[in-house]
Amino acid sequence: MDSTPRRKSGLNLPSGMNETSLRLETFSSSSSFRAVTCVSSPRAISSLSSPSKTSSCSDRFIPCRSSSRLQTFGLIEKGSPVKEGGNEAYARLLKSELFGSDFGSFSSPAGGQGGLGSPSKNMLRFKTDHSGPNSPYSPSILGHDSGISSESSTTPKPPRKVPKTPHKVLDAPSLQDDFYLNLVDWSSQNVLAVGLGTCVYLWTASNSKVTRLCDLGPNDSVCSVQWTREGSYISIGTHLGQVQVWDGTQCKRVRTMGGHQTRTSVLAWNSRTLASGSRDRNILQHDLRVSSDHVSKLIGHKSEVCGLKWSHDDRELASGGNDNQLLVWNQHSQLPVLTLTEHTAAVKAIAWSPHQSGLLASGGGTADRCIRFWNTTNGHQLNHVDTGSQVCNLAWSKNVNELVSTHGYSQNQIMVWKYPSLSKVATLVGHSMRVLYLAMSPDGQTIVTGAGDETLRFWNVFPSMKTQTPVKDTGLWSLGRTQIR
């Protein structure tokens, strides 16, 4: 028996291998090590247990945080019950400092997949590595992309309150209860025009002054009114098929144009021309710079034309008729470029979005009750909503991405919608008959509605533009009920 004691070096070697046959070789590229056989001196082996300053060999592998890509693993943390709901932003910044900025940017405390606080049962789950800038000022650490969520920083915005009652009510005797007419319009100079029987009255919102613009006489009546975009001239469509143009400031008639065989029920100005729709199923385009009554005729509807709206860039004209059709025309063709037939009732309500080019809304009558949204670039229907009653008018807010609709049978309500969610912002009631007429104030905050109950009601439904200072106008918002004539 060999009684010589074996020198302990701190290594457990298998039988048949001595200390002089083992050498450790490191590979920096893979951050790992392997055992190879070599001839080495006992001093080299003894340096493993007592490492010197000049040796780079070690029996331990210590990873480097900067090269280990810890951010690619989703780690589940169990929140401390004591600090529940505490300062998550501080904890997140602390993790970014400890594990690198990428670790903070790839975690999601909101319970997203693979992030901190994820409900997944996988303790370690490899995620796709999205390399990005590691700047400590990157918005992924402190900005909105970091996923930091707390009740103090993401307080839900309270819903906007819309007054349920009108600010002002005007009596409008002889305001007709006719679905196909368009008898109310509000100019950019803050003057409201209303067709009452054979007369057109102007109501100045700044001082509540009422002026009678014209009287067509006992043999004719007003069927439509429409201001120019500048607000100085107004066009009037008559029951006999005429189109008259008046100077609203001087109360003087400028032009009378014919061409329609029967009543002119709808008018629409663009920057240069005036389009008129009639019960004779035709759409005429008038140019005041030429002597002829009209410069073109658009034929496409099979029944009375009751809705007309130019797009905001003047490139397209949308028309609706009693034939349940919605047609879209351009300035380069005498035929419609789009024929939309999804409505099952007359289409009077038409509105172009001021926020998105080529976005058109239309509303159907009693048998349809739907508001439909169209992409006029390709003719696709984007969405629709059943309102529950006849859609009489539509108007899109220029201040926010919302629109208002007025209704007839059977609820006679006014509804404000968010777009594109189509969630209801408000439902207003007050008219006792169909809300057939709608116009919007120049500042985009107020609408006026008219009905066969011979009243005009003013509602404050939209917020002001952020860059616009509200104008104090006591005459417009004075409470009470007055008479327009």
Side-chain angles (χ1 to χ4, degrees), residues 27-137:
F27 294 86
S28 58
S29 61
S30 61
S31 299
S32 60
F33 61 88
R34 62 178 180 174
V36 295
T37 59
C38 64
V39 178
S40 179
S41 64
R43 178 175 294 180
I45 297 299
S46 63
S47 66
L48 296 176
S49 57
S50 301
S52 63
K53 295 182 179 179
T54 60
S55 174
S56 61
C57 298
S58 175
D59 63 340
R60 298 176 60 195
F61 171 65
I62 301 177
C64 179
R65 288 195 180 104
S66 61
S67 62
S68 59
R69 299 189 304 165
L70 294 179
Q71 72 275 5
T72 58
F73 290 87
L75 305 179
I76 294 182
E77 283 188 346
K78 189 173 183 180
S80 173
V82 179
K83 297 182 179 180
E84 189 69 29
N87 193 343
E88 297 181 6
Y90 172 76
R92 190 153 184 82
L93 290 175
L94 182 59
K95 293 184 181 68
S96 299
E97 290 296 327
L98 292 177
F99 300 108
S101 59
D102 287 340
F103 186 83
S105 63
F106 283 95
S107 303
S108 175
Q113 292 184 356
L116 295 176
S118 172
S120 173
K121 300 302 182 181
N122 297 330
M123 286 297 296
L124 298 174
R125 182 173 63 254
F126 190 80
K127 298 178 7 178
T128 304
D129 183 12
H130 303 282
S131 59
N134 295 329
S135 170
Y137 305 102

Side-chain angles (χ1 to χ4, degrees), residues 194-469:
V194 184
L196 301 177
T198 62
C199 300
V200 175
Y201 289 86
L202 306 181
W203 182 79
T204 304
S206 58
N207 54 19
S208 297
K209 180 182 177 181
V210 178
T211 304
R212 189 176 73 173
L213 176 67
C214 66
D215 188 345
L216 300 181
N219 298 324
D220 207 349
S221 62
V222 180
C223 294
S224 56
V225 294
Q226 180 74 36
W227 288 97
T228 60
R229 292 182 178 177
E230 295 76 19
S232 54
Y233 291 89
I234 183 174
S235 57
I236 302 171
T238 74
H239 184 76
L240 297 179
Q242 289 183 343
V243 176
Q244 300 182 6
V245 179
W246 288 70
D247 186 336
T249 58
Q250 301 182 6
C251 295
K252 181 181 179 180
R253 185 170 60 183
V254 176
R255 183 84 179 266
T256 299
M257 295 170 287
H260 288 299
Q261 304 301 317
T262 181
R263 70 180 186 182
T264 306
S265 51
V266 61
L267 299 164
W269 283 95
N270 65 11
S271 57
R272 298 187 303 270
T273 61
L274 171 65
S276 60
S278 171
R279 183 182 276 180
D280 63 10
R281 302 172 294 178
N282 297 327
I283 300 173
L284 301 181
Q285 297 205 61
H286 313 270
D287 193 335
L288 300 184
R289 298 169 296 182
V290 299
S291 58
S292 59
D293 286 341
H294 59 275
V295 295
S296 65
K297 179 185 292 187
L298 305 179
I299 301 176
H301 284 284
K302 302 175 182 178
S303 187
E304 181 172 7
V305 181
C306 53
L308 272 181
K309 286 290 174 64
W310 282 98
S311 62
H312 296 278
D313 57 6
D314 293 343
R315 294 182 178 180
E316 294 178 305
L317 174 66
S319 64
N322 197 33
D323 55 1
N324 308 345
Q325 289 190 117
L326 175 66
L327 305 181
V328 179
W329 316 75
N330 61 26
Q331 296 179 332
H332 308 292
S333 175
Q334 300 298 311
L335 297 176
V337 294
L338 285 178
T339 300
L340 308 172
T341 59
E342 277 74 3
H343 284 291
T344 57
V347 182
K348 177 192 178 185
I350 299 173
W352 291 90
S353 170
H355 309 286
Q356 182 177 342
S357 178
L359 177 57
L360 176 66
S362 61
T366 308
D368 184 79
R369 305 184 307 273
C370 289
I371 302 175
R372 302 180 187 272
F373 299 87
W374 312 89
N375 181 351
T376 59
T377 304
N378 52 28
H380 292 166
Q381 182 177 183
L382 303 175
N383 206 345
H384 75 280
V385 58
D386 191 338
T387 65
S389 41
Q390 177 188 41
V391 184
C392 301
N393 292 279
L394 286 170
W396 218 299
S397 170
K398 63 181 180 180
N399 300 342
V400 290
N401 199 8
E402 298 176 1
L403 68 159
V404 60
S405 59
T406 69
H407 302 270
Y409 300 125
S410 59
Q411 301 181 35
N412 305 329
Q413 78 272 39
I414 303 162
M415 306 180 74
V416 183
W417 309 83
K418 279 185 177 296
Y419 188 84
S421 65
L422 298 184
S423 59
K424 295 180 185 178
V425 178
T427 300
L428 310 175
V429 293
H431 287 287
S432 59
M433 298 181 68
R434 296 183 297 174
V435 189
L436 297 177
Y437 310 110
L438 171 67
M440 188 175 296
S441 64
D443 61 6
Q445 300 182 52
T446 306
I447 62 169
V448 59
T449 56
D453 57 10
E454 299 185 341
T455 64
L456 295 172
R457 298 173 185 265
F458 295 81
W459 314 80
N460 189 14
V461 297
F462 295 121
S464 61
M465 296 183 68
K466 294 181 179 180
T467 58
Q468 179 179 347
T469 57

